[in-house]
Amino acid sequence: MKRKSIGILLVLTAAISWGVSGSVAQFLFTQKQFSTGWLVCVRLLTSGAILLLYLALTKNSDIWGIWKRRASVVNILVFGLLGMAGVQFTYFAAIESSNAATATLLQYLAPVLIILYTSFNRKSIPPFQHIIGIFTALLGTYFLVSAGNFSTISIRPEALAWGLSSAFFLALYTLQPTQLLKEFGSTVVVAWGMIIGGLGMSFIYPPWQTGDGIFSFSSFLAILFVILFGTLIAFFCYLESLKHLEAAESSLLSCAEPLSAAFLAVIWLKVPFSIYEWIGAFFILTTILLLSLKRKNTERELAEKTI
């Protein structure tokens, strides 16, 4: 019981850190005038460098092994430039165009895209529970973007485009590096992905050019929070939670991310969130629950077959 409690605490810490990080980023965009590209570039380069340094000092793994084969080099470049940089930039752009709550909820449509891709790839029909999950996701998105005015879209078109793009890139981020993760482990892959993504972004958004960003003590703390809590600590807590919980249980508890983003955006940043948008959030969270429970049942069936 104690082991499971530790796992729950860790995954909730990770999820809430991710959610709060989105609202902190919104604060930097709206009140301190920092650009999406600059924040993403700095976040990726700093976090990636710290992760690689941590691996070099504390682990026995070969952090350079990923560069010794042509196939892994191509895969890590694709992951860094498209997966890592893609999901980070589109997510923060969605926040800048709308708010942290809406951006996070739209990004959580990624599991639906993964299901559709997997079903198409396998030439099979998704299980009934997955079909229900797809329906609730679409219904939730409808409520979220309409806010009760069903004849028009209530959020800015660019915000919807960035949010859906974020879901697409999150699906790519999840599916593309499968072989790399098996060979080199998640920490090495994520660290190099951050470095590559940050370097790629720096050609467009040099980290030494802050533009109209207003530096102050509060903005410094906010940037530090996004880098440390929203990236490094959240990443480590989530990975550590998998040692104490099943993957499906961690996925279920990670629903705290969009909830914390929504509540903080409403309470701290005074973002208006109508009853219809809360209904949309409920349906999208229901989708996550349905898909996670399905995955949990599959894991249990496989375990029973091996006994």
Side-chain angles (χ1 to χ4, degrees), residues 104-136:
T104 306
L105 288 165
L106 288 174
Q107 188 184 62
Y108 264 72
L109 296 174
V112 174
L113 299 180
I114 293 172
I115 287 170
L116 294 174
Y117 170 80
T118 304
S119 299
F120 177 79
N121 197 39
R122 294 175 179 175
K123 297 179 175 61
S124 62
I125 299 174
F128 178 72
Q129 194 166 341
H130 282 182
I131 294 174
I132 296 297
I134 293 171
F135 174 76
T136 57

Side-chain angles (χ1 to χ4, degrees), residues 33-54:
Q33 283 75 57
F34 286 95
S35 70
T36 296
W38 182 85
L39 184 60
V40 171
C41 181
V42 170
R43 181 191 196 189
L44 290 179
L45 286 175
T46 307
S47 299
I50 294 173
L51 271 180
L52 281 180
L53 182 62
Y54 167 79

Side-chain angles (χ1 to χ4, degrees), residues 230-274:
T231 309
L232 294 171
I233 291 175
F235 171 73
F236 276 114
C237 285
Y238 187 80
L239 286 182
E240 190 67 23
S241 74
L242 298 177
K243 298 178 183 178
H244 306 279
L245 300 171
E246 294 179 8
E249 291 174 319
S250 292
S251 297
L252 283 169
L253 292 167
S254 66
C255 291
E257 179 184 351
L259 284 176
S260 60
F263 282 119
L264 197 62
V266 171
I267 294 170
W268 176 37
L269 300 173
K270 309 302 180 184
V271 172
F273 221 61
S274 70

Side-chain angles (χ1 to χ4, degrees), residues 90-262:
T90 53
Y91 173 60
F92 279 126
I95 291 175
E96 189 173 20
S97 301
S98 57
N99 58 73
T102 301
T104 306
L105 288 165
L106 288 174
Q107 188 184 62
Y108 264 72
L109 296 174
V112 174
L113 299 180
I114 293 172
I115 287 170
L116 294 174
Y117 170 80
T118 304
S119 299
F120 177 79
N121 197 39
R122 294 175 179 175
K123 297 179 175 61
S124 62
I125 299 174
F128 178 72
Q129 194 166 341
H130 282 182
I131 294 174
I132 296 297
I134 293 171
F135 174 76
T136 57
L138 294 174
L139 190 60
T141 306
Y142 182 64
F143 275 102
L144 189 66
V145 303
S146 68
N149 187 359
F150 302 121
S151 62
T152 185
I153 295 177
S154 66
I155 68 173
R156 294 163 63 185
E158 59 266 35
L160 179 60
W162 283 123
L164 295 178
S165 297
S166 176
F168 169 80
F169 279 107
L170 180 57
L172 176 67
Y173 173 94
T174 304
L175 294 169
Q176 189 269 338
T178 305
Q179 189 58 40
L180 288 175
L181 294 172
K182 289 179 181 178
E183 290 185 46
F184 304 102
S186 58
T187 311
V188 171
V189 173
V190 168
W192 279 116
M194 287 178 173
I195 291 290
I196 293 166
L199 288 174
M201 292 286 297
S202 66
F203 284 98
I204 307 172
Y205 303 98
W208 56 86
Q209 294 181 5
T210 58
D212 297 326
I214 302 171
F215 276 98
S216 64
F217 183 67
S218 60
S219 60
F220 173 76
L221 288 180
I223 294 168
L224 199 62
F225 184 93
V226 169
I227 292 171
L228 294 180
F229 286 90
T231 309
L232 294 171
I233 291 175
F235 171 73
F236 276 114
C237 285
Y238 187 80
L239 286 182
E240 190 67 23
S241 74
L242 298 177
K243 298 178 183 178
H244 306 279
L245 300 171
E246 294 179 8
E249 291 174 319
S250 292
S251 297
L252 283 169
L253 292 167
S254 66
C255 291
E257 179 184 351
L259 284 176
S260 60

